[in-house]
Amino acid sequence: MSKRTREASAKARIAAQREALRKQEQRRRMTMVVTVAVIAVVAIAVGWWSIAQSASEKVTGNLAPISIQEDGSVVMAQRGVTAPVVDVYEDFQCPACKQFEETSGSTLKNLAAEGKAKVVYHVITIFTDEPTKSNSLRAASAARCLTEGSQWMAFHDKIYQGQPSETAVGFTADQLVKWGHEAGAGATGFDSCVRGEKNVAAHQEYSSKIMSALKLAGTPTIMLDGQSLEDTAFVPSALREAVLNAAK
Amino acid sequence: MVQLASGRPASGRLHSVRPARSWVTTVARLVLGGVLIVAGALKIGAPALSVEAVRAYQLLPDPLVKIVGYGLPALEIIVGVLLVIGLLTRPAAVIAGVLMIAFVVGISSVWARGLRIDCGCFGGAGTLGQGEDPHYFRELLRDFGLVLCASWIVMRPPGRFAMDSALGLAGTREPYLPGDVEGDDEG
């Protein structure tokens, strides 16, 4: 073999190698792009599914009749509907209760309106430290100043919308009076009842009775026919399904 | 020829060490990825609780709490799956490592501030029942171990049984080991 042909073949070999390397790099880049694209699509699908399956319901139509009981608990049910019973144990100051209300509150309203469940609200106070304890007591006491079920529910919703942080004094008398009026409470008795915190004792008595009787682990506790629903309560579709199954 | 002489013993040593190391990477991937998948899967069904758990740390402003609460479970699952199958191993391990460091910071901060919460790591709303005690030390130890797993993977990706290798995404060093050197030495 002459020197020249050897050089030529070496050059050709180097060129071929370069070409192969280039192709390989191109393939690698292509694979990378496709991989990232596939992962992005899967990520979007997972996120969409997560949001869709946990979407909150909208309140459709009128609420079922709401009545305030003598002990301060509140019943929302269509006439004659006595089962299944959904008990909601909540503290107006507890952030998880606000989260529950935002997530699943509308589902309970709809189920009651559809005549599929009797929903009972029990407002209690679980906090023992300040400022959360006093915030909770003021709000709960004010709710007991209402006499009309539909006003109570409107007030209940406003309270969660205006929930203060756990480190700040909130639910001030002025706020509570204002929300009460917005909810339809017109009587002058309401203002003095709220400002005088007249129902604190009755509320505390009810609250401690509930806590000791049920040994609640925390709020919110949602019970379906006496069984705690745990995490299910925070997934509207699962909550609805559980209640409908209990009705069968 | 000189290359060969000096290359042989080196590659001999590599052969005894490299497989063991790449198996360690595989095990680290499975542990880290497995934990992430379980943690994400337990939370993703109830994002409202996940949001609540994030809020319990009292570290993030409200809009961010929602984004993290909804996004974290999905991110955990996706990164976990990538680690287990060994796809985009290094970036996945970097994200997992950053997550774990964030968890370590979050739990330490909660501990330092004297808050009593459940970490919400594997679902739940981050609240403790009456009489329940937080397990901050255990949680920190676990997350710190997972940070180590992540760093190992970042340093030595992708390990055995990795999609990266199968797809040729593993980097360019490995294909050109001893075989090429010998092939070029014919003349």
Side-chain angles (χ1 to χ4, degrees):
Chain A
M1 231 188 266
S2 76
K3 201 179 169 194
R4 224 206 266 161
T5 50
R6 271 183 62 182
E7 266 176 15
S9 81
K11 268 187 187 157
R13 231 172 41 194
I14 289 167
Q17 257 181 2
R18 281 216 184 112
E19 180 63 16
L21 256 178
R22 206 179 57 79
K23 281 229 169 96
Q24 197 188 7
E25 188 51 37
Q26 217 169 28
R27 228 179 6 247
R28 208 174 94 90
R29 212 169 291 163
M30 195 61 210
T31 316
M32 187 72 87
V33 168
V34 171
T35 308
V36 171
V38 168
I39 293 169
V41 168
V42 171
I44 290 166
V46 170
W48 182 82
W49 172 84
S50 165
I51 290 169
Q53 65 95 37
S54 65
S56 295
E57 294 184 10
K58 289 224 164 22
V59 176
T60 48
N62 293 328
L63 298 185
I66 300 161
S67 59
I68 301 172
Q69 309 299 296
E70 210 164 313
D71 63 1
S73 64
V74 175
V75 173
M76 173 171 68
Q78 292 290 4
R79 221 167 298 260
V81 175
T82 53
V85 178
V86 179
D87 285 295
V88 179
Y89 299 91
E90 57 185 344
D91 185 322
F92 286 143
Q93 172 64 60
C94 116
C97 299
K98 178 184 163 100
Q99 185 70 42
F100 171 76
E101 185 55 38
E102 283 175 1
T103 309
S104 300
S106 49
T107 304
L108 292 185
K109 284 175 181 147
N110 285 342
L111 284 167
E114 291 160 23
K116 297 285 174 21
K118 173 185 172 186
V119 182
V120 187
Y121 296 89
H122 310 261
V123 178
I124 60 174
T125 292
I126 54 159
F127 291 99
T128 51
D129 296 329
E130 295 299 344
T132 44
K133 184 185 174 188
S134 293
N135 287 352
S136 171
L137 289 177
R138 264 196 306 279
S141 163
R144 280 174 176 257
C145 295
L146 292 160
T147 48
E148 188 88 19
S150 61
Q151 292 174 2
W152 184 91
M153 186 54 79
F155 187 66
H156 168 271
D157 296 353
K158 282 182 189 301
I159 281 200
Y160 279 120
Q161 282 161 21
Q163 189 187 70
S165 112
E166 284 184 286
T167 52
V169 174
F171 291 149
T172 62
D174 288 344
Q175 281 179 323
L176 294 168
V177 165
K178 179 169 160 262
W179 296 337
H181 289 177
E182 285 168 7
T188 43
F190 176 77
D191 292 17
S192 62
C193 174
V194 172
R195 293 191 190 280
E197 299 185 14
K198 288 196 177 145
N199 295 315
V200 169
H203 167 71
Q204 273 183 312
E205 191 194 327
Y206 179 72
S207 187
S208 53
K209 201 180 80 191
I210 292 280
M211 298 271 274
S212 61
L214 294 171
K215 298 193 170 49
L216 297 178
T219 49
T221 296
I222 317 303
M223 291 197 183
L224 176 57
D225 290 333
Q227 293 289 316
S228 172
L229 282 174
E230 312 273 339
D231 295 0
T232 307
F234 283 87
V235 185
S237 55
L239 173 62
R240 171 171 279 277
E241 200 184 311
V243 172
L244 292 184
N245 282 338
K248 279 175 194 163
Chain B
M1 278 307 173
V2 180
Q3 266 185 340
L4 248 185
S6 67
R8 269 277 151 72
S11 76
R13 220 182 315 141
L14 278 179
H15 269 292
S16 62
V17 177
R18 181 160 291 162
R21 284 190 175 163
S22 59
W23 280 114
V24 172
T25 305
T26 307
V27 171
R29 264 172 39 211
L30 291 178
V31 170
L32 183 58
V35 170
L36 282 170
I37 291 172
V38 171
L42 287 173
K43 285 184 290 209
I44 199 163
L49 285 175
S50 172
V51 169
E52 214 34 60
V54 176
R55 183 169 293 135
Y57 284 78
Q58 299 176 23
L59 274 174
L60 300 173
D62 213 54
L64 220 54
V65 164
K66 284 231 162 84
I67 294 171
V68 174
Y70 274 93
L72 188 61
L75 182 67
E76 283 177 328
I77 291 179
I78 288 162
V79 171
V81 169
L82 290 180
L83 283 171
V84 167
I85 65 176
L87 188 57
L88 300 184
T89 309
R90 183 173 266 166
V94 169
I95 296 174
V98 169
L99 281 180
M100 290 303 155
I101 291 169
F103 298 155
V104 166
V105 170
I107 294 169
S108 311
S109 137
V110 161
W111 199 359
R113 281 177 292 159
L115 299 179
R116 291 181 67 259
I117 66 167
D118 175 277
C119 74
C121 308
F122 298 95
T127 48
L128 283 171
Q130 285 172 335
E132 281 184 281
D133 281 320
H135 302 290
Y136 299 135
F137 184 69
R138 216 170 62 190
E139 287 156 4
L140 283 176
L141 211 60
R142 180 196 60 217
D143 288 350
F144 192 69
L146 293 172
V147 171
L148 291 184
C149 282
S151 347
W152 178 279
I153 302 166
V154 171
M155 285 185 297
R156 301 182 191 285
R160 291 301 170 103
F161 292 123
M163 292 276 283
D164 279 344
S165 311
L167 292 173
L169 294 173
T172 42
R173 257 176 300 157
E174 309 206 6
Y176 305 108
L177 277 171
D180 281 37
V181 179
E182 274 166 12
D184 276 298
D185 253 31
E186 46 167 82

